[in-house]
Amino acid sequence: GYVSEVDRRTELGKLVLDSPFFDKTIVNRMFSQFLGYGFTRPIDDLGPHNPPTNEVLLEELAKDFRKASYDMRALMEWIVLSQPY
């Protein structure tokens, strides 16, 4: 479409939320903030070339984070109440 017919901010938001790495990135960064290390090193490098140290936990936290409508407070609670913390 034409720029005048499209709200670019809304379209960018849709692209970000549809990304398979959005929720994992936030979970990885928050985990790193609380525990001092993330699931990947460096923490901002997610992808098939850099597998996470605990893929199952990252996937589950990311899935639950998405289900909770990206509730940061809930994510922080899950992390601080976890056994590793």
Side-chain angles (χ1 to χ4, degrees), residues 8-74:
R8 293 183 288 173
R9 184 173 292 174
T10 302
E11 294 302 316
L12 177 62
K14 288 177 188 176
L15 286 173
V16 168
L17 290 176
D18 288 341
S19 170
F21 294 109
F22 178 67
D23 45 0
K24 292 178 189 175
T25 301
I26 295 174
V27 167
N28 192 31
R29 189 163 295 272
M30 290 306 294
F31 198 85
S32 173
Q33 287 293 317
F34 282 99
L35 278 83
Y37 56 90
F39 292 101
T40 60
R41 287 192 188 209
I43 61 169
D44 60 347
D45 190 15
L46 288 172
H49 61 283
N50 191 13
T53 55
N54 191 338
E55 189 170 352
V56 175
L57 181 57
L58 178 62
E59 292 286 335
E60 285 299 313
L61 281 173
K63 183 178 69 172
D64 290 343
F65 184 54
R66 188 176 287 257
K67 280 184 189 176
S69 299
Y70 305 105
D71 185 359
M72 293 294 287
R73 182 171 282 176

Side-chain angles (χ1 to χ4, degrees), residues 70-84:
Y70 305 105
D71 185 359
M72 293 294 287
R73 182 171 282 176
L75 176 61
M76 288 187 267
E77 185 177 327
W78 300 334
I79 293 172
V80 299
L81 292 176
S82 69
Q83 194 169 15

